[in-house]
Amino acid sequence: MTQTPPPVPTRTTPEYLDRLNPEQREAIETTEGPLLILAGAGTGKTRVLTTRFAHILLTGRARPFQILAVTFTNKAAREMRQRIGALLGEPVEGLWLGTFHALCARMLRRHAEYVGLTSAFTILDTDDQLRLIKQVMEPYRIDTKRWPPQGMLGVIQRWKDRGLTPERVTPAEDSDFGGGAARRIYEEYQTRLKAVNACDFGDLMLHMVEILRNQPDVLAQYHRLFRYILVDEYQDTNTIQYLWLRLLAKRDGYPSNIACVGDDDQSIYSWRGAEVENILRFEQDFPGARIVRLERNYRSTAQILAAAAGLIAHNDGRLGKTLRPGREDAEGEPVQVVGVWDSDEEARIVAGAVERLRADGHGLAEMAILMRAGFQTRPFEEQLMTRGIPYRVVGGLRFYERAEIRDCLAYLRVLAQPADDLAFERIINVPRRGMGTAAMQKLHLDARQHGVPLTGAVAAQLGAPGKGKTREALLGLMDAFARARETLAREGHVVAAEQLLEDAGYLQMWRDDRSPEAPGRLDNIRELLRALVDFATLEGFLEHVALVTEGEDAASEEKISLMTLHGAKGLEFDTVFLPGWEEGVFPSQRSLDEGGLKSLEEERRLAYVGLTRARKRATILHAARRRVYANWQDAIPSRFIEELPDAHVRHSGQSMQERRQLAAQPSVFAFGPLTAGRRAASSTAPRVTDVYQGTPTEIPVGARVFHQKFGYGVVTGVDVDRLQVNFEQTGEKRVMAGFVEQVS
């Protein structure tokens, strides 16, 4: 008698849930009611978000068009769409999945008549917006040098990001931009947009929030449509995005099935309107909300995670979680904290480490140098170029390719060679001096007819009788070059270069610029002026720049990445170098001055993001001295180094004895007081933005000295902070005293 085989047991859980850890499964299977998924770095948040979407469909809880899924980038939306299709085994059509602005544009096409538009409205690009705002500002006779049109657009965008229509801008919200005319300009700008059936990028969300606020039938329609809402990177939402989501999620008579994925410890975009408070008050906005913490990190080693956790624990404004390794073999090495003597050595040490790792078989694409600010890239770029190491600057141009640096180099080229017509043509109208197309054509014609360079043609025009603003501006430019050449002969190229950029109005142009990029551009210019000190002559510096920028690496060649910490969010590398961890650099003095304790906590979150980019190795560097313009100044290690847990950090470096002596003294942080238990700051704390001028040197005539570029030599003359040195290899040079070391 044959025996009947036992029945095959049926699966109790879907296969796509088997590969998930318990916390991830909880986040996916908690489908009803409000849910906040606190997803730490490297914990698989994208997998959770896409699997949750597919799970809702596969379990029959909703149809594809009944789920609203919001991302911050088109790339994230495409990736999510592809992953959902892979889980379901087929492409999914009809999804409400995309960025905030893309989804609002789709909605606004349906309801445009409620805000005075038609469904065929145009979305203006940046150039069109600029032309329109210039037209609106013109009757107000605003000084556009002090209040440029780009700045006015920035003010308007910030109002829109906060959900403020012109009539909602209260006196407390108003701006002094344009001498108090900003709100009226905003109102007229909006009127002109509607007159041409157009809106700008900010209007897409602002208009939809106004429609949902004022049209209950429209709001009810979307309440019935969307059974579930999924939101990625919730910690990065600004006020208008928060208002839009809250309107859609708070459904009378229906459960608020909103699931937000985010990490309060990675909220680093307040400068573009992000409000970390949105994620911190989630439970208050949605009573009864469930919070699931994803704390198993599958990216970094245990040592890196413990160091990062110890650092971020010093923040008060957080919901709290502790990352731990998701793999058993992830112990790894401690975080390296390297003290160096100065900022130049910092770049050499990093470049040398990159060379050694590359020689040991580590790919350049798996390494990154992450900096607080863009101006820090220059010394690293030069070291990498000198050693023939291919690199790429992520999220920005290479240092010498940036517009403000090219402008400054053009000024310096004309200073060195007045016949350089290409350079002169670039800067003759930067800042604006009234040289339009017709004026430039006449200038070129005069130069050709008389066989002189453009500078000669300008001099000839100024020698003839005449008057006018353009003439006065050109006269000021030529006088600036004349004075700079006198200074060049008398005091050297470092002083002459800064004087030229100041007298020509170029530095003032960026000081007056109200755009968010302007402070960074000024930092880049300061770094360029600092680089001049390494060269004996202006011509030598310009030749160096021409040589190091002469050629590009092959596009397909593997390269190390240089980027800011903000640009690194979402990325990961085997090896990460984190230079410039000093007070005033990181945390940024500018941020602390503008935002106080709130900004300090965001700076600490930025440090946390930097550390958690590393899979295997993280190296933090800080310098005992950093050069600002042509002067050295002492630097204090970042408070963030002190906050790293000792058990997971290894200190090294030739300046560590000095560093530890500083650490033993009462802290003199440039921002304070801090939270309870932290040490208060001194109002006399040194800042990286300070520039010490003309400190007398104590190096006497006859002393033997060493210069990192020119080698050994003997001092033959002393002039306050400058030395005349007879170098053994290169002869007589005039150098800054701060750049030589006295040797026995």
Side-chain angles (χ1 to χ4, degrees):
M1 183 176 180
T2 58
Q3 189 173 9
T4 304
V8 177
T10 58
R11 292 184 60 86
T12 58
T13 60
E15 185 178 356
Y16 58 83
L17 296 177
D18 287 346
R19 298 184 298 273
L20 305 174
N21 65 43
E23 297 83 15
Q24 291 173 333
R25 283 192 56 173
E26 182 183 0
I28 290 164
E29 294 183 295
T30 303
T31 57
E32 307 308 307
L35 172 68
L36 177 61
I37 304 168
L38 283 179
T43 57
K45 73 174 182 64
T46 304
R47 168 185 279 189
V48 168
L49 198 63
T50 54
T51 306
R52 179 182 173 86
F53 194 117
H55 180 71
I56 291 171
L57 295 181
L58 289 169
T59 54
R61 288 177 167 82
R63 301 179 68 180
F65 59 84
Q66 293 175 316
I67 303 174
L68 177 67
V70 192
T71 67
F72 266 84
T73 66
N74 290 314
K75 178 182 177 183
R78 286 194 300 270
E79 181 180 355
M80 190 171 173
R81 190 182 300 272
Q82 291 167 357
R83 290 196 182 195
I84 292 169
L87 282 170
L88 298 177
E90 60 182 6
V92 185
E93 302 298 333
L95 298 182
W96 282 84
L97 191 165
T99 64
F100 282 96
H101 291 91
L103 292 168
C104 281
R106 181 175 170 184
M107 289 180 173
L108 189 57
R109 296 283 180 197
R110 298 181 172 193
H111 312 289
E113 68 278 4
Y114 288 115
V115 288
L117 300 172
T118 74
S119 60
F121 65 82
T122 301
I123 303 173
L124 298 189
D125 60 21
T126 304
D127 289 341
D128 289 334
Q129 293 173 42
L130 190 58
R131 279 196 293 273
L132 181 59
I133 200 67
K134 285 179 179 177
Q135 294 171 14
V136 173
M137 291 174 66
E138 189 173 359
Y140 291 87
R141 300 187 180 279
I142 289 172
D143 181 358
T144 55
K145 289 184 178 179
R146 183 178 179 187
W147 291 301
Q150 296 94 328
M152 185 67 243
L153 283 176
V155 171
I156 291 173
Q157 184 58 53
R158 285 191 290 276
W159 278 333
K160 291 182 177 182
D161 285 345
R162 297 206 301 270
L164 300 175
T165 57
E167 57 273 16
R168 290 180 185 270
V169 178
T170 65
E173 296 278 1
D174 207 347
S175 168
D176 62 354
F177 195 95
R183 198 200 67 79
R184 297 195 305 276
I185 292 172
Y186 178 25
E187 186 173 24
E188 188 171 337
Y189 173 73
Q190 292 300 99
T191 301
R192 296 282 292 275
L193 281 171
K194 290 181 181 179
V196 295
N197 195 37
C199 61
D200 65 18
F201 208 56
D203 284 328
L204 297 174
M205 295 211 69
L206 183 68
H207 286 331
M208 272 315 304
V209 166
E210 287 302 298
I211 291 170
L212 296 176
R213 276 172 166 169
N214 300 324
Q215 305 298 329
D217 291 345
V218 175
L219 181 60
Q221 174 187 333
Y222 286 110
H223 282 169
R224 290 191 297 270
L225 176 63
F226 299 133
R227 294 188 179 182
Y228 295 91
I229 299 176
L230 307 180
V231 187
D232 193 13
E233 303 286 10
Y234 189 60
Q235 79 282 347
D236 292 335
T237 53
N238 61 25
T239 301
I240 192 70
Q241 292 162 344
Y242 164 80
L243 292 172
W244 180 73
L245 286 170
R246 199 164 180 269
L247 282 164
L248 292 172
K250 300 279 272 187
R251 310 188 306 169
D252 292 337
Y254 298 91
S256 296
N257 292 335
I258 181 171
C260 294
V261 181
D263 184 0
D264 52 325
D265 291 335
Q266 295 189 74
S267 179
I268 58 173
Y269 295 122
S270 66
W271 50 275
R272 68 184 189 196
E275 295 280 356
V276 69
E277 289 80 8
N278 293 347
I279 193 170
L280 297 180
R281 64 168 174 249
F282 187 86
E283 290 177 285
Q284 178 182 335
D285 287 335
F286 299 100
R290 189 165 180 175
I291 296 182
V292 175
R293 289 172 169 81
L294 304 185
E295 299 175 310
R296 301 191 196 197
N297 176 285
Y298 296 93
R299 174 193 301 159
S300 305
T301 65
Q303 297 269 26
I304 291 171
L305 294 177
L311 173 65
I312 200 63
H314 287 81
N315 271 6
D316 286 338
R318 61 192 297 259
L319 295 171
K321 65 182 175 308
T322 302
L323 293 183
R324 59 186 187 276
R327 308 189 313 270
E328 295 181 359
D329 60 342
E331 179 62 23
E333 305 172 359
V335 172
Q336 303 292 317
V337 176
V338 181
V340 299
W341 176 238
D342 59 34
S343 47
D344 292 340
E345 184 188 19
E346 178 182 64
R348 289 196 301 274
I349 284 178
V350 170
V354 171
E355 267 191 324
R356 290 190 295 275
L357 286 167
R358 188 186 190 190
D360 289 342
H362 299 280
L364 289 177
E366 295 305 328
M367 304 181 212
I369 305 172
L370 308 182
M371 290 150 286
R372 175 60 182 86
F375 75 88
Q376 293 175 259
T377 67
R378 189 202 62 81
F380 295 98
E381 289 189 58
E382 297 219 351
Q383 280 293 325
L384 295 171
M385 284 187 284
T386 299
R387 297 167 187 255
I389 300 173
Y391 72 92
R392 64 185 183 125
V393 178
V394 179
L397 297 170
R398 295 182 178 216
F399 185 81
Y400 290 115
E401 293 173 351
R402 296 166 186 172
E404 65 276 14
I405 299 303
R406 288 185 177 273
D407 288 343
C408 291
L409 290 173
Y411 271 104
L412 299 183
R413 283 165 55 188
V414 176
L415 177 62
Q417 177 50 264
D420 190 334
D421 282 356
L422 288 175
F424 188 70
E425 188 172 7
R426 180 183 179 95
I427 54 89
I428 191 173
N429 211 34
V430 183
R432 295 191 180 278
R433 299 185 178 93
M435 291 296 292
T437 303
M440 285 304 302
Q441 288 176 345
K442 185 178 186 308
L443 191 61
H444 277 286
L445 181 61
D446 289 352
R448 287 196 299 269
Q449 286 179 344
H450 296 91
V452 295
L454 292 179
T455 51
V458 170
Q461 288 184 4
L462 295 175
K467 59 182 180 178
K469 290 185 178 180
T470 299
R471 178 185 173 85
E472 290 178 9
L474 288 178
L475 185 60
L477 175 63
M478 299 307 287
D479 285 348
F481 275 112
R483 290 192 298 272
R485 290 192 179 95
E486 292 176 2
T487 302
L488 183 63
R490 186 177 63 251
E491 299 185 54
H493 61 289
V494 177
V495 178
E498 184 177 354
Q499 177 187 307
L500 173 61
L501 296 176
E502 193 68 73
D503 289 353
Y506 189 76
L507 293 177
Q508 193 61 43
M509 178 187 77
W510 287 116
R511 292 190 195 109
D512 292 340
D513 192 309
R514 299 296 185 91
S515 68
E517 297 82 15
R521 293 185 189 275
L522 281 168
D523 286 340
N524 292 336
I525 295 169
R526 294 187 188 103
E527 178 62 23
L528 178 72
L529 293 171
R530 193 208 70 73
L532 284 166
V533 185
D534 292 336
F535 298 85
T537 65
L538 178 58
E539 291 79 6
F541 171 72
L542 292 172
E543 180 179 314
H544 166 77
V545 172
L547 291 174
V548 299
T549 59
E550 185 265 339
E552 289 291 330
D553 300 316
S556 60
E557 191 172 10
E558 190 177 64
K559 304 172 184 178
I560 185 174
S561 296
L562 277 67
M563 68 186 81
T564 64
L565 287 160
H566 284 101
K569 187 171 177 292
L571 304 177
E572 56 186 77
F573 305 89
D574 284 349
T575 303
V576 167
F577 297 96
L578 300 158
W581 280 44
E582 299 128 30
E583 287 296 306
V585 178
F586 191 36
S588 158
Q589 188 62 51
R590 184 184 299 131
S591 294
L592 299 187
D593 289 343
E594 293 175 357
L597 180 59
K598 184 177 180 180
S599 288
L600 173 62
E601 296 215 338
E602 180 158 332
E603 291 285 296
R604 191 177 285 112
R605 291 195 293 269
L606 196 55
Y608 173 83
V609 166
L611 277 172
T612 54
R613 299 311 94 195
R615 287 191 285 253
K616 299 177 180 178
R617 290 169 291 274
T619 300
I620 295 168
L621 299 102
H622 60 99
R625 303 190 305 166
R626 191 165 290 274
R627 195 155 54 189
V628 181
Y629 289 110
N631 301 280
W632 289 102
Q633 75 173 55
D634 291 337
I636 298 174
S638 170
R639 71 193 76 189
F640 299 152
I641 293 176
E642 181 185 342
E643 293 170 354
L644 295 168
D646 289 338
H648 305 287
V649 174
R650 180 182 299 149
H651 292 272
S652 65
Q654 56 184 307
S655 62
M656 279 313 300
Q657 182 177 359
E658 179 183 1
R659 304 291 83 204
R660 292 190 186 282
Q661 289 173 352
L662 280 172
Q665 298 172 1
S667 291
V668 286
F669 295 148
F671 166 77
L674 303 182
T675 55
R678 302 292 297 151
R679 292 178 292 188
S682 166
S683 61
T684 60
R687 301 180 179 193
V688 169
T689 50
D690 293 337
V691 178
Y692 302 146
Q693 301 286 349
T695 305
T697 179
E698 297 180 356
I699 301 178
V701 172
R704 181 171 168 78
V705 296
F706 176 77
H707 188 282
Q708 290 180 346
K709 181 176 180 62
F710 304 127
Y712 290 96
V714 176
V715 177
T716 58
V718 178
D719 180 12
V720 190
D721 61 342
R722 292 173 170 81
L723 303 176
Q724 192 74 22
V725 182
N726 184 12
F727 289 103
E728 296 173 0
Q729 301 296 325
T730 55
E732 288 280 340
K733 301 287 184 187
R734 185 173 171 83
V735 298
M736 301 291 294
F739 298 148
V740 301
E741 296 177 28
Q742 186 172 353
V743 295
S744 57

